[in-house]
């Protein structure tokens, strides 16, 4: 783990320890503070110097990142200096009047239902039949099927344990994911049948199975994030989708990523609700719960992508 190296390192370490004691995760904020720490170190600021607001304008202008990432760094540093004020290191937060950078609007890549099926078929065709590869390839296939057909985040199928899939109920228990939320979701019948088939294959190929993970790389380990991303992008190439990321004006049009399948699940679900003659807005609370959003307003952003043709 990288350490803080500027003259503010003791206070930064103290702040991180304070956050941890409050129960906050330090994963989002620590890399941003390391970025700030490097800037302070490069400027060779002497200990005891109070940083003026102009210093943070220079920091903002020096960051070669997307506007959202720049604002993330500024937000983390602002929280740190709120702590510095509470600890009487500063009398006022020097970032109080530092404005954020105007952010781009973001349009995720949306797979149509037909493209999603083509992608799943391409993944299926890539499963190798040799016994030493078959179970691992089938596990990777099933993990992406869950992302596509149940709207999971990429980390969620990787962390599933065997007992999290309840075959009789046809539900999956997703434990302590983003926002430390747990949720129990029903899976479509077609997905449940594939999961049951996968478990039958696993039982046949692994004797004395001690692996706790639902999806396995081998007899001891679960799947990796990097491998799942690799086979996803290979399948995207297989079905002929070549959509690079583009920035047009203040709009970012994203390229396909595994998370695009989650976005697509939400958009296509709301689109099916609309096609049945129902109001998509009324489905938002249920969809938000299913997807594990903290508040259903986060799910409402998908309403503007219901029309897939407009996205294209």
């Amino acid at each position: 783990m990288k350490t803080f190296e500027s003259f503010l390192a003791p206070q930064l370490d103290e702040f991180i320890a304070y956050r941890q004691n409050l129960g906050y995760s330090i994963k989002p904020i620590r890399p941003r503070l390391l970025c700030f720490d490097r800037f302070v170190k490069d400027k060779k600021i002497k200990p005891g110097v109070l940083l003026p607001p102009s210093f943070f304008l220079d920091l903002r202008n020096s960051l070669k990142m997307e506007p959202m990432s720049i604002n993330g760094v500024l937000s983390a540093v602002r929280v740190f200096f709120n702590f510095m004020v509470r600890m009487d290191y500063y009398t006022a937060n020097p970032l109080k009047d530092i404005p954020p950078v105007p952010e781009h609007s973001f349009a995720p890549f949306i797979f149509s239902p037909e493209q999603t099926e083509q992608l799943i078929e391409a993944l299926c065709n890539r499963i190798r039949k040799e016994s030493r590869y078959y179970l691992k390839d089938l596990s990777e296939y099933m993990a992406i099927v869950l992302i596509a057909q149940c709207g999971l985040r990429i980390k969620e199928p990787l962390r599933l344990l065997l007992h999290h899939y309840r075959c009789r109920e046809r539900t999956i228990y997703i434990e302590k994911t983003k926002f430390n939320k747990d949720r129990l979701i029903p899976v479509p019948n077609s997905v449940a049948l594939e999961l049951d088939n996968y478990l039958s294959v696993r039982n046949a190929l692994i004797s004395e199975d001690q692996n706790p993970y639902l999806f396995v790389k081998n007899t001891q380990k679960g799947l990796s994030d990097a491998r799942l991303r690799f086979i996803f992008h290979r399948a995207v190439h297989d079905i002929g989708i070549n959509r690079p990321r583009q920035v047009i004006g203040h709009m970012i049009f994203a390229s396909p990523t595994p998370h695009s399948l989650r976005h697509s699940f939400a958009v296509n679900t709301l689109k099916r609700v609309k096609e049945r003659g129902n109001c998509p807005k009324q489905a938002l609370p249920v969809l938000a719960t299913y997807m594990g959003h903290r508040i259903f307003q986060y799910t409402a952003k998908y309403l503007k992508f219901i029309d897939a043709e407009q996205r294209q």
Side-chain angles (χ1 to χ4, degrees):
M1 181 182 293
K2 292 184 179 180
T3 58
F4 298 112
E5 298 179 355
S6 72
F7 81 95
L8 287 170
Q11 289 79 19
L12 287 163
D13 287 329
E14 184 182 358
F15 172 67
I16 291 296
Y18 169 76
R19 297 276 294 183
Q20 286 180 307
N21 290 335
L22 290 178
Y24 288 104
S25 170
I26 63 169
K27 287 183 179 179
I29 202 168
R30 186 179 176 85
R32 295 167 178 173
L33 291 177
L34 282 168
C35 181
F36 165 67
D37 180 72
R38 285 194 301 271
F39 184 76
V40 175
K41 180 185 175 184
D42 292 344
K43 291 296 183 180
K44 299 179 180 179
I45 307 297
K46 295 180 180 180
V49 173
L50 294 180
L51 301 176
S54 59
F55 178 86
F56 300 96
L57 288 173
D58 291 340
L59 167 66
R60 190 187 68 176
N61 294 334
S62 72
L63 295 173
K64 306 304 179 185
M65 305 174 176
E66 293 288 347
M68 183 181 296
S69 300
I70 294 174
N71 290 336
V73 172
L74 293 177
S75 176
V77 176
R78 187 176 290 109
V79 172
F80 167 64
F81 276 94
N82 282 338
F83 169 78
M84 296 283 277
V85 171
R86 286 196 298 272
M87 301 302 292
D88 293 326
Y89 294 122
Y90 274 66
T91 57
N93 192 328
L95 285 92
K96 179 181 178 182
D97 297 320
I98 302 298
V101 177
E103 294 186 6
H104 295 309
S105 298
F106 179 78
F109 183 90
I110 303 298
F111 288 93
S112 68
E114 294 76 21
Q115 288 173 323
T116 301
E117 290 299 324
Q118 290 171 7
L119 183 78
I120 291 173
E121 184 177 355
L123 290 165
C124 185
N125 292 336
R126 284 277 191 172
I127 297 175
R128 292 167 289 186
K129 303 303 186 290
E130 295 87 349
S131 59
R132 60 176 176 167
Y133 299 124
Y134 185 70
L135 183 59
K136 180 178 77 71
D137 288 1
L138 185 60
S139 294
E140 293 165 351
Y141 164 80
M142 284 306 310
I144 293 184
V145 166
L146 281 186
I147 296 172
Q149 304 291 17
C150 300
L152 302 192
R153 302 177 180 94
I154 188 171
K155 294 289 187 182
E156 292 175 344
L158 302 181
R159 294 172 178 169
L160 287 175
L161 303 179
L162 264 172
H163 67 272
H164 287 156
Y165 172 54
R166 304 172 182 182
C167 56
R168 291 186 179 179
E169 301 173 6
R170 296 193 167 183
T171 59
I172 290 177
Y173 181 66
I174 303 173
E175 188 175 36
K176 290 183 173 57
T177 59
K178 194 173 182 181
F179 309 120
N180 288 322
K181 291 187 67 174
D182 298 353
R183 68 188 193 274
L184 181 69
I185 64 169
V187 297
N189 289 335
S190 59
V191 177
L193 289 172
E194 291 203 72
L195 280 170
D196 293 342
N197 175 67
Y198 160 76
L199 291 174
S200 297
V201 170
R202 174 172 169 166
N203 289 335
L205 294 180
I206 302 180
S207 58
E208 299 181 3
D209 189 356
Q210 300 296 317
N211 194 320
Y213 291 101
L214 178 60
F215 301 123
V216 297
K217 179 179 180 180
N218 52 42
T219 56
Q220 301 296 324
K221 297 180 180 179
L223 301 178
S224 71
D225 181 295
R227 174 64 183 176
L228 218 56
R229 292 180 187 276
F230 169 77
I231 67 166
F232 166 83
H233 287 292
R234 187 177 63 185
V236 168
H237 180 267
D238 287 346
I239 64 175
I241 294 178
N242 180 20
R243 187 67 59 84
R245 178 180 177 276
Q246 290 181 298
V247 179
I248 302 175
H250 292 289
M251 195 76 178
I252 296 174
F253 293 92
S255 60
T257 67
H259 204 70
S260 301
L261 292 173
R262 177 173 162 86
H263 293 313
S264 303
F265 169 82
V267 171
N268 292 326
T269 297
L270 292 173
K271 190 174 180 182
R272 285 194 297 270
V273 170
K274 183 178 180 181
E275 288 171 350
R276 290 197 298 264
N278 298 321
C279 178
K281 290 183 180 179
Q282 295 178 353
L284 290 179
V286 175
L287 182 59
T289 301
Y290 190 92
M291 298 185 70
H293 288 157
R294 188 166 51 180
I295 54 176
F296 80 86
Q297 282 85 349
Y298 293 158
T299 322
K301 65 183 179 181
Y302 293 118
L303 289 172
K304 58 186 174 183
F305 298 112
I306 291 179
D307 187 350
E309 288 75 20
Q310 184 178 6
R311 167 62 178 83
Q312 298 299 332

